[in-house]
Amino acid sequence: MSCSELICACLLPLVYLVLGVDGYCQYRWIRCYSNSMTMTDMVFVESYFYNKMEFLVFNSTVGWYVGYSGVGMRLADEKNRDKLLLPFERGNVDRFCKFSATMYNSYVGDKTIEPRVKLSLAKPFSDNHPGMLMCSAYNFYPKMIRVTWYRDGQKVTSDVSSTEELADGDWFYQIHSHLEFTPKPGEKITCVVEHASFKEPREFVWESSMPEAERNKVAIGAAGLVLGLVVSATGLLYYRKTSQGWMMAPVITASTS
Ligand SMILES: *[C@@H]1O[C@H](CO)[C@@H](O)[C@H](O)[C@H]1NC(C)=O
């Protein structure tokens, strides 16, 4: 899992040393870079700016100060001769960067929220195919996700398009992948979603035509409907017959008393 995004969002401790005298501005920009949860590639960089110009930088990969202007080069020389400063700056990789990253990772780095996946029919984008399936994943975290399509077990790459991972603005993301297709009878179309919140890829199946079990259900349902109609029709006839008899009875009784 990449943690670069995390670094950008949370781990950029901007340390400004602002000397606001007559509009001149000097500041220091300290940052940590890592692309791995193990943080073995962690780099600490500290840049010094005067107005908008970077004149001095310490990069832990390089290991010493580098100056970019006359005054910057003089300062770099001076700092690089400091027997205590360089080990201290190099130590920032562990002391400052890894320490902060561990803390932030414990807040968000290992948190995952499962996507809610919906497979639906949609209007195709082009005239090449009569149908389009849309596989939508909602409310997942982190951002990284993979949505792939399979037709009868074969991975499909053509006629597939997808949105980016769209930020909902509340730490959650959504993505929509489309497969334009011409339906084939009995074919099984699958949308496979891979996400850190799943132990293994998850399949979401679209049945293009009704399989055997579904057909049987429909047949049983239809038979049930016919039987129901017959029973209710018989009941109605019986009711009308008996209710007429019952209505007539008092009339007969009244006339005889
Ligand atoms: C730090 O130094 C390394 C090695 O020269 C370089 O690849 C990297 O881009 C530098 N990082 C920054 C932020 O300048």
Side-chain angles (χ1 to χ4, degrees):
M1 194 177 106
S2 157
C3 123
S4 58
E5 206 189 322
L6 182 69
I7 302 262
C8 292
C10 323
L11 252 182
L12 275 183
L14 287 170
V15 179
Y16 285 101
L17 181 72
V18 179
L19 306 174
V21 184
D22 294 335
Y24 296 114
C25 175
Q26 185 196 318
Y27 58 97
R28 234 168 10 134
W29 181 25
I30 294 172
R31 60 245 194 239
C32 303
Y33 294 93
S34 169
N35 260 317
S36 146
M37 287 306 267
T38 58
M39 297 188 280
T40 44
D41 59 347
M42 187 65 84
V43 180
F44 167 78
V45 182
E46 179 175 11
S47 304
Y48 290 74
F49 290 82
Y50 184 74
N51 285 345
K52 284 179 180 172
M53 205 181 86
E54 188 181 28
F55 64 93
L56 183 66
V57 63
F58 177 88
N59 176 329
S60 65
T61 311
V62 178
W64 53 81
Y65 284 89
V66 175
Y68 293 132
S69 65
V71 84
M73 283 156 85
R74 267 202 308 283
L75 277 166
D77 260 1
E78 198 177 293
K79 283 176 184 287
N80 287 337
R81 273 199 299 272
D82 190 326
K83 291 281 174 294
L84 292 176
L85 188 59
L86 285 186
F88 178 82
E89 288 291 301
R90 289 171 193 152
N92 273 329
V93 172
D94 289 332
R95 199 178 44 249
F96 175 65
C97 291
K98 289 188 185 175
F99 174 79
S100 314
T102 305
M103 191 172 67
Y104 285 116
N105 281 347
S106 74
Y107 293 148
V108 291
D110 60 349
K111 302 286 183 288
T112 61
I113 307 287
E114 278 191 11
R116 187 165 52 79
V117 179
K118 208 179 120 203
L119 200 50
S120 57
L121 264 180
K123 204 171 166 297
F125 295 132
S126 67
D127 294 331
N128 299 345
H129 295 285
M132 186 171 85
L133 282 177
M134 182 159 79
C135 190
S136 304
Y138 298 96
N139 289 359
F140 57 88
Y141 182 90
K143 183 179 178 179
M144 253 154 300
I145 195 164
R146 186 181 292 138
V147 181
T148 38
W149 291 95
Y150 288 83
R151 296 182 78 166
D152 282 335
Q154 289 292 309
K155 189 170 173 177
V156 190
T157 46
S158 56
D159 301 312
V160 171
S161 59
S162 176
T163 64
E164 303 277 297
E165 299 90 342
L166 308 164
D168 289 346
D170 55 1
W171 286 76
F172 293 121
Y173 293 88
Q174 58 177 286
I175 192 168
H176 306 272
S177 179
H178 316 95
L179 170 71
E180 292 183 74
F181 76 119
T182 305
K184 279 188 271 176
E187 180 187 33
K188 185 174 138 187
I189 301 183
T190 321
C191 165
V192 175
V193 179
E194 291 166 80
H195 188 254
S197 60
F198 295 157
K199 283 204 180 68
E200 48 195 44
R202 228 175 259 185
E203 285 192 354
F204 300 86
V205 180
W206 179 265
E207 303 287 357
S208 65
S209 71
M210 272 184 248
E212 197 66 30
E214 291 298 309
R215 265 202 297 274
N216 288 347
K217 273 186 216 161
V218 170
I220 292 165
L225 180 67
V226 171
L227 189 65
L229 282 173
V230 170
V231 169
S232 53
T234 316
L236 187 66
L237 283 172
Y238 178 74
Y239 168 75
R240 287 184 61 171
K241 245 177 117 180
T242 50
S243 64
Q244 268 170 15
W246 181 81
M247 292 262 293
M248 278 153 77
V251 179
I252 296 160
T253 316
S255 62
T256 48
S257 61

PDB file of all heavy atoms in Angstrom, residues 101-130:
ATOM      1  N   ALA A 101       5.255   9.090  10.989  1.00  0.00           N
ATOM      2  CA  ALA A 101       4.513   8.236  10.064  1.00  0.00           C
ATOM      3  C   ALA A 101       3.853   7.081  10.815  1.00  0.00           C
ATOM      4  O   ALA A 101       2.716   6.719  10.528  1.00  0.00           O
ATOM      5  CB  ALA A 101       5.445   7.691   8.985  1.00  0.00           C
ATOM      6  N   THR A 102       4.551   6.516  11.790  1.00  0.00           N
ATOM      7  CA  THR A 102       3.983   5.420  12.582  1.00  0.00           C
ATOM      8  C   THR A 102       2.733   5.895  13.305  1.00  0.00           C
ATOM      9  O   THR A 102       1.713   5.212  13.335  1.00  0.00           O
ATOM     10  CB  THR A 102       5.017   4.912  13.609  1.00  0.00           C
ATOM     11  OG1 THR A 102       6.195   4.564  12.906  1.00  0.00           O
ATOM     12  CG2 THR A 102       4.496   3.717  14.378  1.00  0.00           C
ATOM     13  N   MET A 103       2.826   7.110  13.837  1.00  0.00           N
ATOM     14  CA  MET A 103       1.686   7.669  14.565  1.00  0.00           C
ATOM     15  C   MET A 103       0.501   7.881  13.623  1.00  0.00           C
ATOM     16  O   MET A 103      -0.615   7.453  13.915  1.00  0.00           O
ATOM     17  CB  MET A 103       2.100   9.001  15.182  1.00  0.00           C
ATOM     18  CG  MET A 103       1.110   9.539  16.169  1.00  0.00           C
ATOM     19  SD  MET A 103       1.798  10.973  17.004  1.00  0.00           S
ATOM     20  CE  MET A 103       1.899  12.151  15.669  1.00  0.00           C
ATOM     21  N   TYR A 104       0.771   8.510  12.473  1.00  0.00           N
ATOM     22  CA  TYR A 104      -0.328   8.772  11.532  1.00  0.00           C
ATOM     23  C   TYR A 104      -0.881   7.483  10.947  1.00  0.00           C
ATOM     24  O   TYR A 104      -2.091   7.344  10.775  1.00  0.00           O
ATOM     25  CB  TYR A 104       0.129   9.718  10.420  1.00  0.00           C
ATOM     26  CG  TYR A 104       0.248  11.144  10.894  1.00  0.00           C
ATOM     27  CD1 TYR A 104       1.476  11.792  10.917  1.00  0.00           C
ATOM     28  CD2 TYR A 104      -0.880  11.837  11.330  1.00  0.00           C
ATOM     29  CE1 TYR A 104       1.579  13.092  11.369  1.00  0.00           C
ATOM     30  CE2 TYR A 104      -0.782  13.126  11.792  1.00  0.00           C
ATOM     31  CZ  TYR A 104       0.460  13.760  11.807  1.00  0.00           C
ATOM     32  OH  TYR A 104       0.556  15.039  12.266  1.00  0.00           O
ATOM     33  N   ASN A 105       0.012   6.522  10.659  1.00  0.00           N
ATOM     34  CA  ASN A 105      -0.455   5.240  10.119  1.00  0.00           C
ATOM     35  C   ASN A 105      -1.395   4.546  11.085  1.00  0.00           C
ATOM     36  O   ASN A 105      -2.336   3.875  10.687  1.00  0.00           O
ATOM     37  CB  ASN A 105       0.725   4.317   9.814  1.00  0.00           C
ATOM     38  CG  ASN A 105       1.393   4.691   8.512  1.00  0.00           C
ATOM     39  OD1 ASN A 105       0.847   5.471   7.740  1.00  0.00           O
ATOM     40  ND2 ASN A 105       2.570   4.156   8.272  1.00  0.00           N
ATOM     41  N   SER A 106      -1.129   4.688  12.371  1.00  0.00           N
ATOM     42  CA  SER A 106      -1.984   4.030  13.361  1.00  0.00           C
ATOM     43  C   SER A 106      -3.367   4.674  13.383  1.00  0.00           C
ATOM     44  O   SER A 106      -4.339   4.052  13.788  1.00  0.00           O
ATOM     45  CB  SER A 106      -1.346   4.086  14.743  1.00  0.00           C
ATOM     46  OG  SER A 106      -1.446   5.391  15.269  1.00  0.00           O
ATOM     47  N   TYR A 107      -3.458   5.921  12.936  1.00  0.00           N
ATOM     48  CA  TYR A 107      -4.770   6.575  12.856  1.00  0.00           C
ATOM     49  C   TYR A 107      -5.531   6.148  11.612  1.00  0.00           C
ATOM     50  O   TYR A 107      -6.712   5.871  11.674  1.00  0.00           O
ATOM     51  CB  TYR A 107      -4.622   8.104  12.831  1.00  0.00           C
ATOM     52  CG  TYR A 107      -4.089   8.697  14.103  1.00  0.00           C
ATOM     53  CD1 TYR A 107      -3.299   9.838  14.072  1.00  0.00           C
ATOM     54  CD2 TYR A 107      -4.371   8.126  15.338  1.00  0.00           C
ATOM     55  CE1 TYR A 107      -2.803  10.393  15.238  1.00  0.00           C
ATOM     56  CE2 TYR A 107      -3.877   8.665  16.505  1.00  0.00           C
ATOM     57  CZ  TYR A 107      -3.087   9.802  16.455  1.00  0.00           C
ATOM     58  OH  TYR A 107      -2.594  10.335  17.596  1.00  0.00           O
ATOM     59  N   VAL A 108      -4.835   6.166  10.468  1.00  0.00           N
ATOM     60  CA  VAL A 108      -5.549   5.920   9.213  1.00  0.00           C
ATOM     61  C   VAL A 108      -4.946   4.825   8.350  1.00  0.00           C
ATOM     62  O   VAL A 108      -5.661   4.186   7.585  1.00  0.00           O
ATOM     63  CB  VAL A 108      -5.637   7.216   8.345  1.00  0.00           C
ATOM     64  CG1 VAL A 108      -6.552   8.214   8.994  1.00  0.00           C
ATOM     65  CG2 VAL A 108      -4.259   7.789   8.086  1.00  0.00           C
ATOM     66  N   GLY A 109      -3.651   4.595   8.462  1.00  0.00           N
ATOM     67  CA  GLY A 109      -2.935   3.739   7.522  1.00  0.00           C
ATOM     68  C   GLY A 109      -3.457   2.322   7.439  1.00  0.00           C
ATOM     69  O   GLY A 109      -3.478   1.726   6.382  1.00  0.00           O
ATOM     70  N   ASP A 110      -3.891   1.754   8.566  1.00  0.00           N
ATOM     71  CA  ASP A 110      -4.327   0.363   8.527  1.00  0.00           C
ATOM     72  C   ASP A 110      -5.845   0.250   8.583  1.00  0.00           C
ATOM     73  O   ASP A 110      -6.384  -0.816   8.799  1.00  0.00           O
ATOM     74  CB  ASP A 110      -3.692  -0.420   9.690  1.00  0.00           C
ATOM     75  CG  ASP A 110      -4.092   0.156  11.037  1.00  0.00           C
ATOM     76  OD1 ASP A 110      -4.669   1.261  11.058  1.00  0.00           O
ATOM     77  OD2 ASP A 110      -3.834  -0.491  12.059  1.00  0.00           O
ATOM     78  N   LYS A 111      -6.541   1.366   8.392  1.00  0.00           N
ATOM     79  CA  LYS A 111      -8.001   1.317   8.440  1.00  0.00           C
ATOM     80  C   LYS A 111      -8.560   1.032   7.046  1.00  0.00           C
ATOM     81  O   LYS A 111      -8.112   1.629   6.070  1.00  0.00           O
ATOM     82  CB  LYS A 111      -8.567   2.656   8.933  1.00  0.00           C
ATOM     83  CG  LYS A 111      -8.061   3.057  10.302  1.00  0.00           C
ATOM     84  CD  LYS A 111      -8.697   2.225  11.409  1.00  0.00           C
ATOM     85  CE  LYS A 111      -8.238   2.682  12.776  1.00  0.00           C
ATOM     86  NZ  LYS A 111      -6.839   2.346  13.089  1.00  0.00           N
ATOM     87  N   THR A 112      -9.497   0.114   6.978  1.00  0.00           N
ATOM     88  CA  THR A 112     -10.137  -0.164   5.691  1.00  0.00           C
ATOM     89  C   THR A 112     -11.653  -0.231   5.884  1.00  0.00           C
ATOM     90  O   THR A 112     -12.130  -0.692   6.921  1.00  0.00           O
ATOM     91  CB  THR A 112      -9.672  -1.507   5.099  1.00  0.00           C
ATOM     92  OG1 THR A 112     -10.024  -2.556   5.999  1.00  0.00           O
ATOM     93  CG2 THR A 112      -8.183  -1.534   4.841  1.00  0.00           C
ATOM     94  N   ILE A 113     -12.366   0.272   4.917  1.00  0.00           N
ATOM     95  CA  ILE A 113     -13.828   0.184   4.921  1.00  0.00           C
ATOM     96  C   ILE A 113     -14.254  -0.477   3.606  1.00  0.00           C
ATOM     97  O   ILE A 113     -13.855  -0.031   2.530  1.00  0.00           O
ATOM     98  CB  ILE A 113     -14.496   1.580   5.028  1.00  0.00           C
ATOM     99  CG1 ILE A 113     -13.953   2.373   6.222  1.00  0.00           C
ATOM    100  CG2 ILE A 113     -16.015   1.436   5.107  1.00  0.00           C
ATOM    101  CD1 ILE A 113     -14.404   1.916   7.573  1.00  0.00           C
ATOM    102  N   GLU A 114     -15.054  -1.511   3.725  1.00  0.00           N
ATOM    103  CA  GLU A 114     -15.500  -2.290   2.560  1.00  0.00           C
ATOM    104  C   GLU A 114     -16.370  -1.474   1.618  1.00  0.00           C
ATOM    105  O   GLU A 114     -17.246  -0.742   2.079  1.00  0.00           O
ATOM    106  CB  GLU A 114     -16.348  -3.476   3.020  1.00  0.00           C
ATOM    107  CG  GLU A 114     -15.549  -4.646   3.471  1.00  0.00           C
ATOM    108  CD  GLU A 114     -16.419  -5.881   3.671  1.00  0.00           C
ATOM    109  OE1 GLU A 114     -17.599  -5.861   3.264  1.00  0.00           O
ATOM    110  OE2 GLU A 114     -15.910  -6.852   4.234  1.00  0.00           O
ATOM    111  N   PRO A 115     -16.160  -1.631   0.313  1.00  0.00           N
ATOM    112  CA  PRO A 115     -17.064  -0.978  -0.636  1.00  0.00           C
ATOM    113  C   PRO A 115     -18.431  -1.660  -0.654  1.00  0.00           C
ATOM    114  O   PRO A 115     -18.526  -2.864  -0.395  1.00  0.00           O
ATOM    115  CB  PRO A 115     -16.353  -1.153  -1.975  1.00  0.00           C
ATOM    116  CG  PRO A 115     -15.456  -2.313  -1.799  1.00  0.00           C
ATOM    117  CD  PRO A 115     -15.077  -2.360  -0.351  1.00  0.00           C
ATOM    118  N   ARG A 116     -19.447  -0.880  -0.934  1.00  0.00           N
ATOM    119  CA  ARG A 116     -20.787  -1.435  -1.172  1.00  0.00           C
ATOM    120  C   ARG A 116     -20.897  -1.508  -2.692  1.00  0.00           C
ATOM    121  O   ARG A 116     -20.785  -0.491  -3.371  1.00  0.00           O
ATOM    122  CB  ARG A 116     -21.832  -0.478  -0.584  1.00  0.00           C
ATOM    123  CG  ARG A 116     -23.249  -0.990  -0.599  1.00  0.00           C
ATOM    124  CD  ARG A 116     -24.106  -0.131   0.333  1.00  0.00           C
ATOM    125  NE  ARG A 116     -23.971   1.297   0.049  1.00  0.00           N
ATOM    126  CZ  ARG A 116     -24.585   1.919  -0.953  1.00  0.00           C
ATOM    127  NH1 ARG A 116     -25.375   1.261  -1.780  1.00  0.00           N
ATOM    128  NH2 ARG A 116     -24.410   3.216  -1.141  1.00  0.00           N
ATOM    129  N   VAL A 117     -21.045  -2.715  -3.233  1.00  0.00           N
ATOM    130  CA  VAL A 117     -20.981  -2.890  -4.691  1.00  0.00           C
ATOM    131  C   VAL A 117     -22.369  -3.141  -5.272  1.00  0.00           C
ATOM    132  O   VAL A 117     -23.156  -3.901  -4.717  1.00  0.00           O
ATOM    133  CB  VAL A 117     -20.031  -4.055  -5.053  1.00  0.00           C
ATOM    134  CG1 VAL A 117     -19.986  -4.269  -6.552  1.00  0.00           C
ATOM    135  CG2 VAL A 117     -18.637  -3.779  -4.517  1.00  0.00           C
ATOM    136  N   LYS A 118     -22.640  -2.443  -6.366  1.00  0.00           N
ATOM    137  CA  LYS A 118     -23.935  -2.586  -7.035  1.00  0.00           C
ATOM    138  C   LYS A 118     -23.705  -2.826  -8.524  1.00  0.00           C
ATOM    139  O   LYS A 118     -22.931  -2.113  -9.158  1.00  0.00           O
ATOM    140  CB  LYS A 118     -24.728  -1.282  -6.831  1.00  0.00           C
ATOM    141  CG  LYS A 118     -26.234  -1.482  -6.835  1.00  0.00           C
ATOM    142  CD  LYS A 118     -26.955  -0.155  -6.615  1.00  0.00           C
ATOM    143  CE  LYS A 118     -27.830   0.140  -7.801  1.00  0.00           C
ATOM    144  NZ  LYS A 118     -28.142   1.537  -7.966  1.00  0.00           N
ATOM    145  N   LEU A 119     -24.359  -3.856  -9.044  1.00  0.00           N
ATOM    146  CA  LEU A 119     -24.243  -4.182 -10.461  1.00  0.00           C
ATOM    147  C   LEU A 119     -25.580  -3.841 -11.112  1.00  0.00           C
ATOM    148  O   LEU A 119     -26.619  -4.322 -10.675  1.00  0.00           O
ATOM    149  CB  LEU A 119     -23.949  -5.677 -10.571  1.00  0.00           C
ATOM    150  CG  LEU A 119     -23.326  -6.225 -11.843  1.00  0.00           C
ATOM    151  CD1 LEU A 119     -22.104  -5.437 -12.243  1.00  0.00           C
ATOM    152  CD2 LEU A 119     -22.942  -7.684 -11.622  1.00  0.00           C
ATOM    153  N   SER A 120     -25.548  -2.994 -12.155  1.00  0.00           N
ATOM    154  CA  SER A 120     -26.826  -2.581 -12.747  1.00  0.00           C
ATOM    155  C   SER A 120     -26.704  -2.419 -14.257  1.00  0.00           C
ATOM    156  O   SER A 120     -25.603  -2.304 -14.796  1.00  0.00           O
ATOM    157  CB  SER A 120     -27.276  -1.268 -12.111  1.00  0.00           C
ATOM    158  OG  SER A 120     -26.280  -0.288 -12.293  1.00  0.00           O
ATOM    159  N   LEU A 121     -27.848  -2.400 -14.913  1.00  0.00           N
ATOM    160  CA  LEU A 121     -27.881  -2.147 -16.356  1.00  0.00           C
ATOM    161  C   LEU A 121     -27.907  -0.645 -16.574  1.00  0.00           C
ATOM    162  O   LEU A 121     -28.543   0.077 -15.823  1.00  0.00           O
ATOM    163  CB  LEU A 121     -29.153  -2.745 -16.953  1.00  0.00           C
ATOM    164  CG  LEU A 121     -29.081  -4.127 -17.583  1.00  0.00           C
ATOM    165  CD1 LEU A 121     -30.439  -4.519 -18.100  1.00  0.00           C
ATOM    166  CD2 LEU A 121     -28.051  -4.177 -18.718  1.00  0.00           C
ATOM    167  N   ALA A 122     -27.205  -0.185 -17.609  1.00  0.00           N
ATOM    168  CA  ALA A 122     -27.214   1.248 -17.899  1.00  0.00           C
ATOM    169  C   ALA A 122     -27.267   1.445 -19.407  1.00  0.00           C
ATOM    170  O   ALA A 122     -27.121   0.491 -20.173  1.00  0.00           O
ATOM    171  CB  ALA A 122     -25.974   1.900 -17.308  1.00  0.00           C
ATOM    172  N   LYS A 123     -27.451   2.674 -19.806  1.00  0.00           N
ATOM    173  CA  LYS A 123     -27.526   2.994 -21.220  1.00  0.00           C
ATOM    174  C   LYS A 123     -26.099   3.005 -21.788  1.00  0.00           C
ATOM    175  O   LYS A 123     -25.224   3.644 -21.221  1.00  0.00           O
ATOM    176  CB  LYS A 123     -28.152   4.388 -21.368  1.00  0.00           C
ATOM    177  CG  LYS A 123     -28.813   4.638 -22.689  1.00  0.00           C
ATOM    178  CD  LYS A 123     -29.573   5.972 -22.601  1.00  0.00           C
ATOM    179  CE  LYS A 123     -29.985   6.478 -23.948  1.00  0.00           C
ATOM    180  NZ  LYS A 123     -28.917   6.803 -24.870  1.00  0.00           N
ATOM    181  N   PRO A 124     -25.842   2.274 -22.904  1.00  0.00           N
ATOM    182  CA  PRO A 124     -24.473   2.249 -23.437  1.00  0.00           C
ATOM    183  C   PRO A 124     -24.006   3.632 -23.903  1.00  0.00           C
ATOM    184  O   PRO A 124     -24.818   4.453 -24.300  1.00  0.00           O
ATOM    185  CB  PRO A 124     -24.562   1.294 -24.627  1.00  0.00           C
ATOM    186  CG  PRO A 124     -25.917   0.744 -24.644  1.00  0.00           C
ATOM    187  CD  PRO A 124     -26.780   1.506 -23.717  1.00  0.00           C
ATOM    188  N   PHE A 125     -22.687   3.845 -23.852  1.00  0.00           N
ATOM    189  CA  PHE A 125     -22.104   5.124 -24.290  1.00  0.00           C
ATOM    190  C   PHE A 125     -22.089   5.214 -25.803  1.00  0.00           C
ATOM    191  O   PHE A 125     -22.192   6.274 -26.379  1.00  0.00           O
ATOM    192  CB  PHE A 125     -20.669   5.253 -23.765  1.00  0.00           C
ATOM    193  CG  PHE A 125     -20.572   5.344 -22.269  1.00  0.00           C
ATOM    194  CD1 PHE A 125     -19.666   4.560 -21.564  1.00  0.00           C
ATOM    195  CD2 PHE A 125     -21.383   6.235 -21.559  1.00  0.00           C
ATOM    196  CE1 PHE A 125     -19.576   4.651 -20.178  1.00  0.00           C
ATOM    197  CE2 PHE A 125     -21.291   6.331 -20.173  1.00  0.00           C
ATOM    198  CZ  PHE A 125     -20.389   5.532 -19.498  1.00  0.00           C
ATOM    199  N   SER A 126     -21.889   4.030 -26.461  1.00  0.00           N
ATOM    200  CA  SER A 126     -21.758   4.030 -27.927  1.00  0.00           C
ATOM    201  C   SER A 126     -22.870   3.174 -28.538  1.00  0.00           C
ATOM    202  O   SER A 126     -23.648   2.559 -27.827  1.00  0.00           O
ATOM    203  CB  SER A 126     -20.395   3.458 -28.313  1.00  0.00           C
ATOM    204  OG  SER A 126     -20.352   2.084 -27.961  1.00  0.00           O
ATOM    205  N   ASP A 127     -22.888   3.125 -29.886  1.00  0.00           N
ATOM    206  CA  ASP A 127     -23.886   2.311 -30.585  1.00  0.00           C
ATOM    207  C   ASP A 127     -23.347   0.915 -30.905  1.00  0.00           C
ATOM    208  O   ASP A 127     -24.002   0.126 -31.563  1.00  0.00           O
ATOM    209  CB  ASP A 127     -24.313   3.001 -31.886  1.00  0.00           C
ATOM    210  CG  ASP A 127     -25.057   4.295 -31.601  1.00  0.00           C
ATOM    211  OD1 ASP A 127     -25.702   4.366 -30.532  1.00  0.00           O
ATOM    212  OD2 ASP A 127     -24.989   5.222 -32.430  1.00  0.00           O
ATOM    213  N   ASN A 128     -22.121   0.631 -30.446  1.00  0.00           N
ATOM    214  CA  ASN A 128     -21.488  -0.645 -30.778  1.00  0.00           C
ATOM    215  C   ASN A 128     -22.195  -1.841 -30.150  1.00  0.00           C
ATOM    216  O   ASN A 128     -22.149  -2.935 -30.668  1.00  0.00           O
ATOM    217  CB  ASN A 128     -20.028  -0.649 -30.327  1.00  0.00           C
ATOM    218  CG  ASN A 128     -19.221   0.434 -31.027  1.00  0.00           C
ATOM    219  OD1 ASN A 128     -19.672   0.989 -32.020  1.00  0.00           O
ATOM    220  ND2 ASN A 128     -18.050   0.738 -30.504  1.00  0.00           N
ATOM    221  N   HIS A 129     -22.781  -1.609 -28.988  1.00  0.00           N
ATOM    222  CA  HIS A 129     -23.450  -2.696 -28.273  1.00  0.00           C
ATOM    223  C   HIS A 129     -24.801  -2.222 -27.755  1.00  0.00           C
ATOM    224  O   HIS A 129     -24.949  -1.054 -27.419  1.00  0.00           O
ATOM    225  CB  HIS A 129     -22.590  -3.166 -27.099  1.00  0.00           C
ATOM    226  CG  HIS A 129     -21.303  -3.791 -27.525  1.00  0.00           C
ATOM    227  ND1 HIS A 129     -21.234  -5.057 -28.056  1.00  0.00           N
ATOM    228  CD2 HIS A 129     -20.035  -3.312 -27.518  1.00  0.00           C
ATOM    229  CE1 HIS A 129     -19.980  -5.332 -28.351  1.00  0.00           C
ATOM    230  NE2 HIS A 129     -19.224  -4.287 -28.044  1.00  0.00           N
ATOM    231  N   PRO A 130     -25.763  -3.151 -27.688  1.00  0.00           N
ATOM    232  CA  PRO A 130     -27.090  -2.737 -27.223  1.00  0.00           C
ATOM    233  C   PRO A 130     -27.177  -2.555 -25.711  1.00  0.00           C
ATOM    234  O   PRO A 130     -28.084  -1.899 -25.217  1.00  0.00           O
ATOM    235  CB  PRO A 130     -27.997  -3.876 -27.664  1.00  0.00           C
ATOM    236  CG  PRO A 130     -27.095  -5.062 -27.770  1.00  0.00           C
ATOM    237  CD  PRO A 130     -25.742  -4.545 -28.137  1.00  0.00           C
TER     238      PRO A 130
END
